[in-house]
Amino acid sequence: MLRNASETIGSLLKAGDVVIYESTDYPGFTEEFCEPILEKTSKLKFNHDFFAGYSPERINPGDKVHTLTNILKVTCGSTPEAADFIDNLYNSIIPAGTHKAPTIKVAEACKVIENSQRDINIAFVNELAKIFNLLNIDTHAVLEAARTKWIFLNFKPGLVGGHCTGVDPYYLAQKAQEAGYHPEIILAGRRLNDGMGTYVALEVIKLMIKRDIPVKNAEVLILGFTFKENCPDVRNTRVIDIIKILQEFETEYTVYDPWADPEEVLKEYSIHTIKEYDKLTKKFDAIILAVSHTEFLTLHFNELKKTSLSILYDIKGILNTDIIDGRL
């Protein structure tokens, strides 16, 4: 996509133009990959006829508070003059202000480590959830107690998807490997987070077996398919990992998500989803709350259960503990 975009822009470039990239990439990508394309296509000389900059996007899908105009924007340019021009340009539309990085590589690295840091922190609490589950300790109660210390970071266990936290760490890992260094923490965090969907599915199946609920042909309801709450984005959703395990065990699953577009989900994942609650006409042996959409907080779960023994598993930890049978 960036190759095609660079070729398109290159065909339109004229002397004095400035090209600003915002896509997340690895450090060096803009200058090593994009700028040669711009030069080749435009027949102009980089940093003589045209200039470039990088200002990583920080949009958080579904977030109505942290929007473009009130998030501090990182800027930079391929020359000091270009950096000043780009910084002034963003300052003219962003009241929150800007931070001018010294180089394009610094700005690129800044963006990719923001997402890598979040990924690693979530991986840590996901690992804690696995440990505390074995020790029969409530993970959320532990985190609530730990958060009373002012420097404790507020992360919760869960699935990590999307095209930021779930993907961007690989960009930095790849670049590190090309430079001769094998990253350990970054890739360990990725492996752990990518395995959480499988872990959840198997935990639910264990609970069903303990209650003598036949797994094969069991009716399972999955609440939510998007990669995060109150957002229609289904890119790289890890809910699909739960579904794959349920398919292997030959369960009959239903996916209800009031935010996801059923046509998009079917096209991208070959999974049928329901967007309207009144289309849930079955009763279920197990219910997995996978995404914390606001709509799920007011559901009457007893009306959805097939029997009093039916399982309710809360991945996001948003339901009262007295009505659930398990959670991360």
Side-chain angles (χ1 to χ4, degrees):
M1 291 183 285
L2 282 171
R3 179 189 292 110
N4 292 339
S6 298
E7 289 174 348
T8 300
I9 295 300
S11 68
L12 302 170
L13 274 183
K14 61 185 184 297
D17 282 349
V18 178
V19 182
I20 306 171
Y21 289 87
E22 291 203 354
S23 299
T24 306
D25 52 42
Y26 58 75
F29 185 85
T30 300
E31 293 162 298
E32 297 165 10
F33 182 84
C34 297
E35 299 317 326
I37 296 174
L38 293 174
E39 277 193 323
K40 181 179 179 181
T41 309
S42 68
K43 305 296 192 296
L44 298 174
K45 188 175 180 181
F46 178 48
N47 278 345
H48 182 271
D49 300 316
F50 73 95
F51 306 89
Y54 181 79
S55 183
E57 58 84 15
R58 282 176 164 171
I59 299 301
N60 186 22
D63 192 333
K64 305 301 183 183
V65 176
H66 301 98
T67 58
L68 173 66
T69 56
N70 58 24
I71 302 175
L72 194 113
K73 199 83 160 67
V74 174
T75 69
C76 64
S78 55
T79 68
E81 295 75 19
D84 288 340
F85 171 78
I86 292 167
D87 194 62
N88 289 332
L89 174 66
Y90 279 104
N91 258 314
S92 70
I93 65 166
I94 300 178
T98 61
H99 173 89
K100 186 166 61 175
T103 66
I104 292 177
K105 285 184 179 180
V106 167
E108 290 170 320
C110 144
K111 170 61 177 179
V112 79
I113 72 163
E114 290 173 15
N115 296 333
S116 299
Q117 182 187 68
R118 178 170 175 78
D119 192 42
I120 291 166
N121 279 313
I122 296 173
F124 174 59
V125 294
N126 275 338
E127 186 163 64
L128 292 179
K130 289 183 175 183
I131 294 170
F132 293 146
N133 182 49
L134 291 172
L135 300 177
N136 197 28
I137 299 174
D138 186 333
T139 303
H140 289 266
V142 173
L143 294 174
E144 184 179 354
R147 279 194 288 269
T148 60
K149 186 166 185 178
W150 63 94
I151 60 172
F152 190 81
L153 301 179
N154 187 24
F155 287 91
K156 296 179 181 180
L159 306 180
V160 180
H163 262 226
C164 288
T165 309
V167 174
D168 295 349
Y170 288 119
Y171 301 160
L172 184 57
Q174 175 187 322
K175 195 63 177 176
Q177 289 170 332
E178 290 174 358
Y181 179 79
H182 181 75
E184 298 183 39
I185 294 176
I186 294 172
L187 293 180
R190 282 282 70 243
R191 284 193 298 272
L192 200 145
N193 283 339
D194 276 349
M196 290 308 292
T198 297
Y199 174 80
V200 165
L202 293 177
E203 286 297 297
V204 172
I205 288 168
K206 287 178 187 177
L207 289 170
M208 293 171 68
I209 292 171
K210 287 179 180 179
R211 292 192 177 178
D212 295 323
I213 300 173
V215 176
K216 186 176 180 179
N217 297 323
E219 297 285 356
V220 180
L221 173 62
I222 301 169
L223 295 174
F225 190 82
T226 61
F227 87 86
K228 66 178 297 185
E229 68 277 0
N230 303 326
C231 169
D233 199 337
V234 297
R235 293 176 301 167
N236 193 39
T237 175
R238 298 332 310 162
V239 179
I240 189 66
D241 299 331
I242 298 174
I243 293 173
K244 287 178 179 177
I245 297 298
L246 295 177
Q247 288 174 332
E248 289 181 15
F249 280 85
E250 299 183 29
T251 66
E252 300 291 334
Y253 63 88
T254 300
V255 182
Y256 165 52
D257 192 314
W259 285 82
D261 180 357
E263 292 185 5
E264 182 182 1
V265 176
L266 183 61
K267 179 182 178 182
E268 296 296 326
Y269 297 94
S270 300
I271 297 293
H272 291 277
T273 61
I274 294 173
K275 196 167 186 175
E276 295 79 24
Y277 179 77
D278 56 14
K279 289 186 178 180
L280 292 176
T281 57
K282 299 179 181 179
K283 302 292 184 179
F284 298 94
D285 296 294
I287 302 170
I288 303 173
L289 193 152
V291 186
S292 54
H293 293 319
T294 303
E295 290 86 344
F296 298 156
L297 293 172
T298 55
L299 290 181
H300 298 290
F301 292 100
N302 285 335
E303 296 178 2
L304 295 169
K305 290 183 175 182
K306 188 177 291 186
T307 71
S308 60
L309 295 177
S310 295
I311 302 298
L312 175 56
Y313 193 94
D314 179 13
I315 293 178
K316 301 299 293 184
I318 63 171
L319 302 178
N320 292 330
T321 55
D322 56 350
I323 68 169
I324 63 174
D325 302 289
R327 65 175 178 175
L328 283 180

